[in-house]
Amino acid sequence: MSFLEKLQNQILIADGAMGTMLYSYGKDSCFEELNLSRSEQIQNIHKAYIDAGADIIQTNTYAANYLKLGRYGLEDSVKDINSAAVLNAKKAAENHAYVLGTLGGNRGIKPKSISIEEIKRSFREQLYCLLLEGVDGLLLETFYDLEELETVLTIARKETNLPIVAQVSLAEPGILQDRTPVNDALQRLEGLGADVVGLNCRLGPHHMLVALEQIELPKRAFLSAYPNASLPAYTDGKFHYDGDADYFRRSSAEFRKQGVRLLGGCCGTTPEHIRAFATELKNSAPITDKVVELKPKKIIVEDPPAKRDYAPLQDIVQERPSVIVELDPPRKLDTTKFFEGAKVLKEAGIDAITLADNSLAQVRISNESLGYLVKKELGMRPLIHISCRDRNIIGLQSHLMGLHTLGMHDVLAITGDPARVGDFPGASSVYDVSSFELIQMIKQLNEGLSFSGKDLGQKTAFSIAGAFNPNVRSVEKAVKRLEKKIAHGADYFISQPVFSEEKLLEVYEHTKHLKAPIYIGLMPLTSSKNAEFLHNEVPGIKIADSIRERMASLHDNPLQAAKEGVEITKGLIDAALDLFNGIYLITPFLRYELTAELALYARQRACELRGNSYVETTI
């Protein structure tokens, strides 16, 4: 008799966590590889769950796919690991429990972090390995991304008639991270052929039961739940769970009341948690009727746009020439020169002052704090750079929510230079997301949704710039990245500095089809030494030989060299304004008098080219 037939009339108990058990034994490595090197230990864990009352166990293959095994250099061991996992589970079961082949989700909180085509290839490989070994069914678990789960479920259903359990993981009780109500999601999975649908991971019994209250009994399929033991704690460098097994026992009746027929455990659960479920519910009759008061779907009324103090830069630069200037936050605590420069730049009539986020991984005063002071005390628009290097997803969202609260809505999303190039080469680079994903996430905030899909209560109003490096061998490839950033939600672009008219023309020819405007980067050179350093040691910057030769000729005259650098940049401004409306001036070494002179020059040249209206326009 298949376990589906048994589910017709009784509640079945599934096993609990495998990884938690292995971690508690000190196996903090690739748990799936242990199917090969520690097979007896894996079998013992399976037996412990069966002895605790589990009717169904799952193979130790949650992350045994090409994508995840590749992190350990084991991508060529997919077949060996999955085959061994099934054999271990079968040997432990000895016909006393059903064996489900487990396939886990790959996409997490990062939206679209892995392409569907990659997911399909990886899933098929693992699926075929499990099917060849003769599992009793499949368990698709811990899927945060509904698109991914629907994709792999469709593949699995075409390849086998075996029972399939399909489980989602929730960003918050009752709703997936893409805002799909969980009841709707499970109905869709049932429609695609899942025999059991349900929830696993992230939520403990309390919140999982809250979610289950919003789920109707499936018409054909059965309902499952695999709650976590608790929230994890971190003590003395190790994660651990403090969930009480008796708490699981006391919650058992509520899971039955909500219509669950397959009940197991996820992170933090042990054989004792499963024993608690089995003691109360094993072989119990399931409920066959359940009344759910579904909350009516919200009729979304378009909220008024979040209040902004300034028009978006992408609108300004499409209407008229616009100049923005980068003035780096100081590396020391004295801000006197920084604010002197900001005042001079304001008088020069720039549209925004841009503040880098520890560029080149060198520690500086927080750009958020200086941006707030620039806005409050000087009435200037701050444009805040946001690097993915220093903050995880939690920190990035918190930072952006803070910027919104302070009324700073202009941001530049960048991946950021790796920590090893900066002041602290031993520091870690976070990189939870890349600039592409960060742009997409900020757009999601503009819809009133957090990175995890939760309702923020109001919409942000960020105008999002993307970075553009034209100083590459193939500008065409660089433009492909721009197109990808536009698809993710970038409103406009700010480029690395350009040092030749030929490069300006090349960039224009390759980007003129883009709808998103570009602020072209220009930076005055201060000396031959400065030019050589930028050309040879700073990623993304290349300087024409002719310009380096001009600066080299003045190596013994620093004042004249700085003047020459300004004159070179003025010539580039003349060429740039024939092609672009946006000029982005980068201030070297807090030499704000140089960029202030260039900003005034750019405004004057724009006035001559386009009329008098622009020269009188200030921030």
Side-chain angles (χ1 to χ4, degrees):
M1 181 183 295
S2 74
F3 73 86
L4 283 183
E5 293 175 296
K6 287 190 175 183
L7 286 174
Q8 295 279 356
N9 301 304
Q10 66 188 68
I11 293 173
L12 296 183
I13 304 300
D15 58 0
M18 174 67 72
T20 299
M21 297 290 289
L22 291 170
Y23 187 75
S24 70
Y25 298 158
K27 301 296 183 183
D28 188 11
S29 59
C30 177
F31 295 146
E32 288 72 21
E33 189 280 331
L34 299 177
N35 289 304
L36 298 170
S37 61
R38 296 287 188 272
S39 59
E40 185 175 349
Q41 188 173 37
I42 300 299
Q43 291 169 25
N44 287 337
I45 294 174
H46 286 314
K47 289 176 182 177
Y49 280 118
I50 295 170
D51 291 343
D55 303 295
I56 294 174
I57 62 172
Q58 58 179 295
T59 56
N60 178 34
T61 53
Y62 169 74
N65 61 58
Y66 182 91
L67 295 172
K68 289 184 175 178
L69 290 177
R71 302 170 186 173
Y72 303 94
L74 297 170
E75 60 270 25
D76 294 330
S77 300
V78 173
K79 183 180 185 303
D80 292 342
I81 289 174
N82 281 275
S83 297
V86 178
L87 293 175
N88 288 333
K90 283 186 169 185
K91 188 172 182 179
E94 293 182 336
N95 298 318
H96 297 303
Y98 297 97
V99 174
L100 298 184
T102 295
L103 302 99
N106 289 286
R107 287 180 175 177
I109 195 68
K110 303 177 187 180
K112 316 302 181 188
S113 56
I114 305 172
S115 73
I116 284 295
E117 290 307 311
E118 287 181 286
I119 287 169
K120 287 179 179 179
R121 286 194 294 268
S122 179
F123 179 81
R124 284 193 175 99
E125 180 183 21
Q126 186 183 9
L127 173 66
Y128 298 151
C129 293
L130 293 172
L131 293 178
L132 283 171
E133 296 300 334
V135 292
D136 297 312
L138 300 173
L139 173 61
L140 312 179
E141 67 164 11
T142 320
F143 283 82
Y144 287 92
D145 186 273
L146 186 57
E147 179 190 27
E148 180 185 10
L149 180 51
E150 289 181 319
T151 299
V152 299
L153 172 57
T154 300
I155 293 172
R157 187 73 288 167
K158 287 180 179 178
E159 294 296 332
T160 182
N161 292 321
L162 289 175
I164 299 176
V165 182
Q167 298 184 144
V168 297
S169 296
L170 303 179
E172 59 179 306
I175 200 159
L176 276 68
Q177 67 180 22
D178 68 353
R179 308 303 293 170
T180 301
V182 65
N183 192 64
D184 293 355
L186 297 191
Q187 288 179 358
R188 285 162 58 172
L189 297 175
E190 182 183 18
L192 290 172
D195 300 291
V196 181
V197 294
L199 314 175
N200 83 287
C201 206
R202 199 171 187 277
L203 306 179
H206 173 79
H207 288 102
M208 190 164 284
L209 286 165
V210 171
L212 286 164
E213 289 173 358
Q214 304 171 47
I215 297 174
E216 298 172 300
L217 292 180
K219 295 177 181 178
R220 176 191 57 80
F222 303 115
L223 201 56
S224 65
Y226 285 50
N228 280 2
S230 64
L231 295 174
Y234 188 72
T235 306
D236 297 329
K238 292 196 70 174
F239 289 99
H240 60 93
Y241 291 84
D242 296 326
D244 183 0
D246 191 57
Y247 176 56
F248 267 49
R249 181 188 63 78
R250 297 194 303 273
S251 69
S252 299
E254 283 300 311
F255 279 104
R256 176 182 179 275
K257 180 180 176 181
Q258 294 306 323
V260 173
R261 298 200 188 201
L262 177 60
L263 184 59
C266 203
C267 299
T269 57
T270 67
E272 290 308 306
H273 294 87
I274 299 309
R275 191 184 310 278
F277 276 156
T279 299
E280 296 296 311
L281 293 181
K282 189 176 176 71
N283 300 325
S284 297
I287 69 164
T288 57
D289 188 44
K290 176 184 177 183
V291 177
V292 176
E293 294 184 9
L294 293 176
K295 297 177 181 179
K297 293 183 179 180
K298 289 183 179 180
I299 300 174
I300 300 177
V301 178
E302 187 64 32
D303 295 330
K307 183 179 178 181
R308 289 183 57 100
D309 295 321
Y310 310 102
L313 284 171
Q314 67 266 25
D315 294 345
I316 290 175
V317 75
Q318 287 179 325
E319 294 174 0
R320 62 165 173 81
S322 172
V323 179
I324 61 176
V325 178
E326 178 177 318
L327 189 66
D328 268 350
R331 299 183 64 181
K332 296 183 179 181
L333 293 174
D334 186 356
T335 60
T336 304
K337 189 172 183 180
F338 173 85
F339 281 102
E340 285 176 358
K343 290 176 184 177
V344 171
L345 290 168
K346 179 183 180 181
E347 292 169 1
I350 66 173
D351 284 305
I353 184 167
T354 87
L355 301 162
D357 190 9
N358 297 325
S359 58
L360 294 177
Q362 295 177 345
V363 179
R364 298 176 181 273
I365 294 176
S366 159
N367 60 1
E368 179 181 23
S369 61
L370 288 184
Y372 174 73
L373 293 174
V374 162
K375 182 175 185 290
K376 180 182 179 182
E377 297 181 7
L378 300 181
M380 299 180 73
R381 177 205 301 259
L383 194 161
I384 308 297
H385 299 201
I386 302 176
S387 166
C388 301
R389 176 193 58 240
D390 301 328
R391 304 175 187 88
N392 62 12
I393 291 176
I394 299 169
L396 286 170
Q397 179 174 319
S398 176
H399 183 50
L400 284 157
M401 292 171 72
L403 291 175
H404 170 78
T405 302
L406 294 172
M408 293 185 283
H409 296 113
D410 297 277
V411 296
L412 168 66
I414 58 174
T415 300
D417 305 299
R420 64 177 179 271
V421 307
D423 296 332
F424 298 96
S428 59
S429 298
V430 180
Y431 297 134
D432 270 4
V433 294
S434 69
S435 59
F436 297 103
E437 294 155 342
L438 178 58
I439 290 168
Q440 187 171 358
M441 288 175 167
I442 299 173
K443 277 296 182 183
Q444 188 166 311
L445 298 182
N446 283 353
E447 294 299 319
L449 302 176
S450 74
F451 291 177
S452 65
K454 293 182 179 179
D455 186 354
L456 290 175
Q458 60 179 263
K459 298 178 179 180
T460 61
F462 288 112
S463 171
I464 309 166
F468 170 38
N469 179 15
N471 301 305
V472 290
R473 290 183 178 179
S474 173
V475 174
E476 185 176 352
K477 288 184 179 179
V479 172
K480 292 293 183 185
R481 290 178 60 85
L482 299 192
E483 292 170 346
K484 183 177 177 181
K485 289 182 180 182
I486 291 172
H488 280 71
D491 297 307
Y492 64 103
F493 295 101
I494 297 175
S495 90
Q496 291 272 35
V498 173
F499 290 95
S500 75
E501 293 184 20
E502 292 79 11
K503 178 61 72 173
L504 287 172
L505 184 59
E506 182 184 17
V507 170
Y508 172 75
E509 291 297 332
H510 282 85
T511 63
K512 61 184 178 182
H513 67 286
L514 299 178
K515 293 183 179 180
I518 296 174
Y519 278 87
I520 199 74
L522 302 172
M523 181 169 70
L525 299 169
T526 59
S527 66
S528 176
K529 186 177 180 180
N530 173 225
E532 292 302 319
F533 172 76
L534 292 172
H535 178 77
N536 291 291
E537 297 195 37
V538 178
I541 295 181
K542 292 298 176 186
I543 300 174
D545 292 343
S546 59
I547 291 178
R548 289 161 58 209
E549 290 168 3
R550 287 172 65 178
M551 298 303 296
S553 68
L554 299 168
H555 72 278
D556 57 351
N557 191 337
L559 290 178
Q560 190 58 40
K563 289 182 180 179
E564 184 67 15
V566 169
E567 290 305 310
I568 290 170
T569 308
K570 286 180 179 179
L572 293 172
I573 288 173
D574 290 340
L577 285 173
D578 286 333
L579 305 171
F580 302 94
N581 256 11
I583 301 295
Y584 166 51
L585 298 173
I586 302 166
T587 306
F589 313 115
L590 279 180
R591 297 281 298 275
Y592 58 81
E593 72 280 4
L594 303 181
T595 44
E597 179 182 347
L598 291 168
L600 286 170
Y601 179 82
R603 295 185 68 219
Q604 180 61 43
R605 291 294 294 138
C607 173
E608 294 171 2
L609 290 168
R610 295 171 174 87
N612 294 325
S613 60
Y614 173 59
V615 75
E616 297 177 358
T617 303
T618 65
I619 190 169

